[in-house]
């Protein structure tokens, strides 16, 4: 029997379920369970921990036979679900590529957002949304994340360039940068990649996806991840799954945002949402500490309907799992999307 390496979750139905943490990792099994429960989860697919282990064991770092074909078939299914096409200049699908091991290893492995962007899809995204600033912002984020995580460029180089640009134009926050500023920054980031690697930034979306999946597999044996496992007595042979998911955008304006929350206060156990979020931001803004987030309770004032829906989802998930849940979410144009429960 041929081994299955890719599990799809889309349109309210998932190949996997919440009891498959060994194979799909904590994040992948949670996404499958939430999809099957009818919660608002952006469609995507999970590449299994077995694929990771076989990749690690191969002498020349190759994907296991059949895995890439399954990945392309799953990508086509996601395209069908969202009505967008990966690499299409006029109606581009962008994806996130995230790690997800059986046990939570916060910050130890890698995530790439906005994958699929190049000069052509960037213009398509700007026209599609009527928001060039947003498209330029997504592109500079993608180049810096991909450059750092996949191509091994020092992250500080991008950080220093961003801060220098803000000082030069008198901006106090990233959100003060205009579309023109961000376009210049995107070009500067591509120069940083070229200078550091000796090669142009990859523009083929499928090549970007292939390289990002390899990078997540490799991150399982990265120094931080190995040290974390040793300290926390986690086995080295579990591997990480890879979750490829259609992007939803928290950085399209003030009716958008992103955040993390627990279903209870972790220090007291009190039954109330505990966490923080940022308006007009993407996930790395919350964890990177470059902007000061708001308490999750503030969401009730900023977007009361979204807060009410999120509170309902949180209660439902805690009741389903019979345990406190750690949640990640994004709001795109006033619509809530769930990205993780664990």
């Amino acid at each position: 029997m041929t081994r299955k390496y890719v599990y799809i979750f889309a349109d309210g139905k998932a190949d996997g379920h919440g009891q498959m943490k060994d194979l799909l990792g904590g994040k992948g099994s949670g996404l499958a369970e939430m999809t099957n429960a009818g919660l608002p989860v952006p469609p995507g697919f999970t590449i299994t921990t077995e694929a990771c282990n076989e990749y690690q064991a191969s002498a020349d770092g190759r994907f296991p036979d059949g895995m890439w074909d399954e990945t392309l078939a799953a990508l086509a299914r996601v395209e069908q679900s969202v009505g967008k096409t990966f690499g299409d200049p006029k109606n581009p699908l962008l994806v996130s590529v995230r790690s997800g091991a059986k046990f939570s290893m916060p910050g130890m492995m890698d995530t790439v957002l906005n994958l699929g962007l190049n000069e052509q899809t960037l213009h398509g995204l700007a026209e599609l949304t009527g928001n060039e600033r947003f498209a330029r912002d997504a592109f500079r984020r993608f180049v810096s994340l991909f450059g750092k995580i996949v191509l091994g460029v020092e992250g500080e180089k991008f950080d220093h360039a961003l801060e220098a640009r803000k000082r030069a134009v008198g901006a106090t926050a990233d959100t003060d940068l205009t579309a023109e500023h961000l376009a210049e920054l995107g070009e500067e980031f591509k120069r940083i990649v070229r200078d550091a690697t000796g090669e142009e930034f990859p523009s083929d979306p499928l090549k970007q996806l292939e390289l990002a999946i390899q990078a997540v597999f490799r991150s399982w044996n990265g120094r931080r991840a190995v040290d974390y496992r040793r300290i926390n007595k986690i086995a080295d042979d579990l591997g990480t799954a890879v979750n490829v998911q259609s992007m939803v955008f928290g950085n399209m304006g003030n009716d958008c945002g992103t955040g993390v929350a627990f279903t209870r206060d972790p220090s007291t156990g009190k039954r109330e949402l505990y966490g923080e979020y940022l308006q007009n931001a993407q996930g790395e803004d919350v964890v990177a500490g470059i902007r000061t987030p708001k308490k999750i309770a503030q969401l009730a004032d900023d977007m009361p309907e979204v807060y009410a829906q999120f509170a309902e989802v949180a209660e439902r998930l805690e009741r389903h799992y019979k345990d406190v849940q750690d949640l990640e979410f994004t709001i795109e144009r006033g619509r809530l999307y769930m990205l993780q429960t664990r």
Side-chain angles (χ1 to χ4, degrees):
M1 186 175 169
T2 309
R3 179 169 284 179
K4 181 179 171 71
Y5 291 112
V6 178
Y7 287 70
I8 298 169
F9 51 91
D11 304 318
K13 187 175 184 303
D15 294 344
H17 54 75
Q19 305 306 310
M20 297 177 70
K21 285 187 179 180
D22 286 348
L23 196 63
L24 304 181
K27 192 183 290 284
S29 62
L31 288 167
E33 192 81 350
M34 287 195 294
T35 299
N36 284 329
L39 297 183
V41 176
F45 54 91
T46 301
I47 303 171
T48 65
T49 56
E50 287 179 346
C52 174
N53 285 331
E54 289 186 37
Y55 173 84
Q56 303 281 9
S58 67
D60 50 359
R62 282 189 4 193
F63 292 146
D65 290 346
M67 190 209 94
W68 185 244
D69 289 338
E70 283 187 59
T71 299
L72 296 179
L75 184 62
R77 172 76 187 279
V78 173
E79 290 173 336
Q80 186 181 12
S81 178
V82 299
K84 298 177 181 178
T85 304
F86 195 59
D88 183 347
K90 295 197 183 305
N91 189 23
L93 167 67
L94 303 183
V95 299
S96 62
V97 181
R98 302 170 189 263
S99 61
K102 178 180 180 180
F103 299 108
S104 175
M105 297 171 58
M108 294 301 109
M109 293 185 299
D110 295 327
T111 294
V112 181
L113 302 178
N114 307 317
L115 190 138
L117 277 175
N118 55 28
E119 287 301 326
Q120 291 74 39
T121 55
L122 184 158
H123 292 300
L125 187 66
E127 285 194 22
L128 207 60
T129 59
N131 189 338
E132 187 179 353
R133 189 203 175 277
F134 154 70
R136 295 286 180 185
D137 186 47
F139 186 67
R140 65 93 184 171
R141 290 169 183 272
F142 170 53
V143 175
S144 61
L145 268 178
F146 192 94
K148 178 175 66 172
I149 288 165
V150 179
L151 303 177
V153 181
E154 287 178 44
E156 289 177 353
K157 292 183 177 181
F158 300 111
D159 297 339
H160 291 159
L162 173 61
E163 291 307 315
R165 179 69 51 175
K166 282 159 63 176
R167 283 195 302 273
V169 301
T172 54
D174 299 7
T175 47
D176 297 327
L177 295 171
T178 65
E180 188 179 352
H181 298 148
L182 291 165
E184 292 165 353
L185 198 59
E187 290 303 311
E188 192 172 348
F189 280 7
K190 287 199 294 184
R191 279 197 299 275
I192 289 171
V193 169
R194 188 167 58 241
D195 292 346
T197 66
E199 295 182 7
E200 295 293 335
F201 188 84
S203 60
D204 177 3
L206 283 176
K207 190 64 181 175
Q208 294 171 358
L209 180 60
E210 180 186 356
L211 291 172
I213 293 168
Q214 290 173 344
V216 173
F217 282 165
R218 286 197 306 272
S219 72
W220 175 253
N221 282 332
R223 187 58 194 265
R224 285 177 306 157
V226 170
D227 288 347
Y228 184 92
R229 289 200 298 275
R230 191 164 295 130
I231 291 165
N232 292 278
K233 296 182 172 56
I234 297 172
D236 285 331
D237 62 357
L238 297 176
T240 181
V242 181
N243 299 288
V244 179
Q245 195 169 16
S246 55
M247 282 293 301
V248 286
F249 299 101
N251 59 325
M252 293 178 81
N254 286 330
D255 60 349
C256 306
T258 187
V260 293
F262 293 97
T263 52
R264 293 173 186 248
D265 185 324
S267 57
T268 66
K270 186 177 179 184
R271 191 170 187 171
E272 62 182 10
L273 288 172
Y274 179 93
E276 51 195 22
Y277 88 105
L278 276 170
Q279 277 177 284
N280 196 15
Q282 282 197 321
E284 76 264 26
D285 296 340
V286 178
V287 295
I290 52 178
R291 282 168 59 194
T292 305
K294 301 177 180 182
K295 299 290 185 192
I296 196 73
Q298 182 67 38
L299 184 60
D301 294 328
D302 294 338
M303 301 181 211
E305 289 181 10
V306 173
Y307 180 82
Q309 185 189 1
F310 180 65
E312 182 189 348
V313 167
E315 185 180 345
R316 192 171 157 189
L317 285 168
E318 184 176 286
R319 204 164 54 236
H320 177 76
Y321 283 102
K322 300 180 175 60
D323 203 351
V324 180
Q325 296 298 295
D326 173 8
L327 309 171
E328 286 182 19
F329 65 94
T330 285
I331 304 155
E332 179 181 295
R333 289 178 165 167
R335 187 173 175 185
L336 175 70
Y337 293 92
M338 299 302 300
L339 303 181
Q340 175 176 284
T341 187
R342 65 184 178 198

